[in-house]
Amino acid sequence: MQVFNSIKEIQQWSLQNKKQGKTIGLVPTMGYLHNGHLSLVREARKQCDIVIVSIFVNPIQFGVNEDFDEYPRDIQRDQLRLEAEKADAIFAPAIKEMYPGGYNTYVEVLGEIPGKLCGSRRPGHFRGVTTVVSKLFNICLPDKAFFGQKDAQQALIVEKMVKELNFPLEIVRVPIVREEDGLAMSSRNVYLDHEQRHEALILWQALQKAQESIRSGETNVETVRRQIKQMIVACPQAQIDYIEIYNASDLADLQKIRGQVLIALAVKFGSTRLIDNLIVEV
Ligand code: AMP
């Protein structure tokens, strides 16, 4: 497995691979890899000849009061895990490689999809994501790029960007990987203390309960949101950021629950903000 820090070098390497007729799969990550990330890598391994995993904690997608400095990093451990998965290359650029002095070009998807959920709570976050992802696409030249359903809104925004800017690649979405007890895997789970880790199970429990109630005929959005809220507020440390139910394909508001709906949660436990979601088909 090769490790690249230079844009020029990996771009040339990708170009050579493409000239030899090989397909390239890209898995963009911020590192501190867990099994959720690795399921993306495995899917890329299945679908593409060459697998590139980017590891870059992207400063421009963090707000000023967010956890950029604390974000967990362990490139050595990541490297071992990716070797075991038979990835072909890691791209781990320094910040100044991606954003040299005077950098001033951004890519932003506008409209309803980025205006909701995390987009309305984390100003500039998705602009940072779409900018770095566009750069990674131009640098690594993937045929397919793999994104997790864990970040459902991010996947929708990246898909829209790829379509509207005509990037010549396909976005592949991979299901959420959970711990045995149901907690969605996240690099941020390491911030949780014992009690918070236990309380955080309520997210998956509340999503499942909501699914049950929808499947048994509940169509009222407010009723289901209230059920979820009741469960979460019973946890002493939980502070709800949002509980929302939208159309899964475009985040449109719903009069009634029908079709494919996305139930999306963001809840803080102490200073750790966790997100989770579930798509329910009615
Ligand atoms: P991150 O390193 O958090 O930026 O995540 C990199 C990619 O891994 C994103 O496409 C995430 O949606 C995906 N991902 C993160 N956690 C999970 C998970 N538990 N299951 C599936 N995909 C995940």
Side-chain angles (χ1 to χ4, degrees), residues 28-31 34 36-37 39-40 71 146-151 154 174-177 184-185 187:
T29 82
M30 298 202 297
H34 50 65
H37 296 115
S39 78
L40 271 60
Y71 197 83
F146 296 78
F147 287 84
Q149 181 59 27
K150 165 81 175 10
D151 299 273
Q154 169 174 282
V174 179
I176 300 179
V177 178
M185 289 190 181
S187 306

Side-chain angles (χ1 to χ4, degrees), residues 167-180:
F167 278 102
L169 59 94
E170 183 191 329
I171 300 298
V172 180
R173 271 208 234 183
V174 179
I176 300 179
V177 178
R178 299 179 178 280
E179 302 285 357
E180 263 179 37

Side-chain angles (χ1 to χ4, degrees), residues 8-278:
K8 215 173 182 173
E9 282 173 19
I10 194 165
Q11 206 172 35
Q12 275 168 5
W13 183 79
S14 291
L15 210 52
Q16 272 167 13
N17 276 297
K18 282 181 96 71
K19 278 186 187 153
Q20 291 167 15
K22 292 186 178 151
T23 57
I24 297 178
L26 171 68
V27 181
T29 82
M30 298 202 297
Y32 210 70
L33 303 178
H34 50 65
N35 280 331
H37 296 115
L38 298 185
S39 78
L40 271 60
V41 176
R42 283 174 204 146
E43 200 51 46
R45 188 66 288 164
K46 267 194 236 158
Q47 296 194 25
C48 303
D49 299 321
I50 298 285
V51 176
I52 302 175
V53 180
S54 62
I55 296 179
F56 181 62
V57 185
N58 176 35
I60 67 166
Q61 73 186 64
F62 286 78
V64 278
N65 296 317
E66 293 183 357
D67 58 342
F68 175 73
D69 290 329
E70 294 80 33
Y71 197 83
R73 294 159 169 93
D74 189 342
I75 186 87
Q76 257 116 34
R77 195 185 66 159
D78 290 348
Q79 201 168 325
L80 289 175
R81 292 198 164 178
L82 292 174
E83 254 156 25
E85 296 298 332
K86 302 195 165 27
D88 298 284
I90 294 179
F91 175 51
I95 292 174
K96 62 179 186 316
E97 178 74 359
M98 291 294 269
Y99 307 116
Y103 185 91
N104 221 353
T105 302
Y106 297 87
V107 178
E108 188 170 16
V109 174
L110 304 175
E112 190 165 40
I113 298 177
K116 293 181 165 175
L117 305 175
C118 293
S120 63
R121 272 82 178 177
R122 303 182 66 189
H125 169 66
F126 286 119
R127 177 185 193 245
V129 170
T130 42
T131 299
V132 81
V133 166
S134 301
K135 286 173 69 72
L136 291 169
F137 289 169
N138 285 330
I139 293 164
C140 300
L141 310 172
D143 297 281
K144 296 187 180 191
F146 296 78
F147 287 84
Q149 181 59 27
K150 165 81 175 10
D151 299 273
Q153 187 179 19
Q154 169 174 282
L156 281 171
I157 291 171
V158 170
E159 282 164 1
K160 190 168 169 64
M161 177 190 80
V162 162
K163 187 167 165 224
E164 296 187 350
L165 289 182
N166 314 101
F167 278 102
L169 59 94
E170 183 191 329
I171 300 298
V172 180
R173 271 208 234 183
V174 179
I176 300 179
V177 178
R178 299 179 178 280
E179 302 285 357
E180 263 179 37
D181 59 9
L183 181 68
M185 289 190 181
S186 163
S187 306
R188 291 189 167 98
N189 290 349
V190 294
Y191 298 147
L192 301 169
D193 68 24
H194 186 71
E195 203 176 317
Q196 292 165 343
R197 170 70 182 73
H198 183 70
E199 283 194 10
L201 293 178
I202 200 66
L203 301 183
W204 179 227
Q205 288 162 1
L207 286 168
Q208 284 176 300
K209 190 83 186 170
Q211 172 171 256
E212 247 173 62
S213 106
I214 292 168
R215 290 209 169 137
S216 53
E218 183 58 66
T219 58
N220 189 298
V221 174
E222 280 317 307
T223 306
V224 179
R225 288 179 67 210
R226 218 175 310 123
Q227 285 170 346
I228 297 173
K229 187 173 173 185
Q230 269 170 9
M231 288 179 74
I232 297 177
V233 294
C235 295
Q237 297 211 41
Q239 303 161 61
I240 296 169
D241 189 357
Y242 62 70
I243 298 167
E244 302 289 359
I245 303 175
Y246 292 127
N247 183 301
S249 61
D250 56 7
L251 303 189
D253 292 334
L254 297 166
Q255 300 303 323
K256 276 188 163 195
I257 296 177
R258 78 160 89 96
Q260 268 208 338
V261 300
L262 175 77
I263 311 172
L265 312 177
V267 177
K268 272 175 110 176
F269 295 87
S271 57
T272 305
R273 182 176 178 279
L274 300 181
I275 57 170
D276 200 351
N277 71 79
L278 181 63

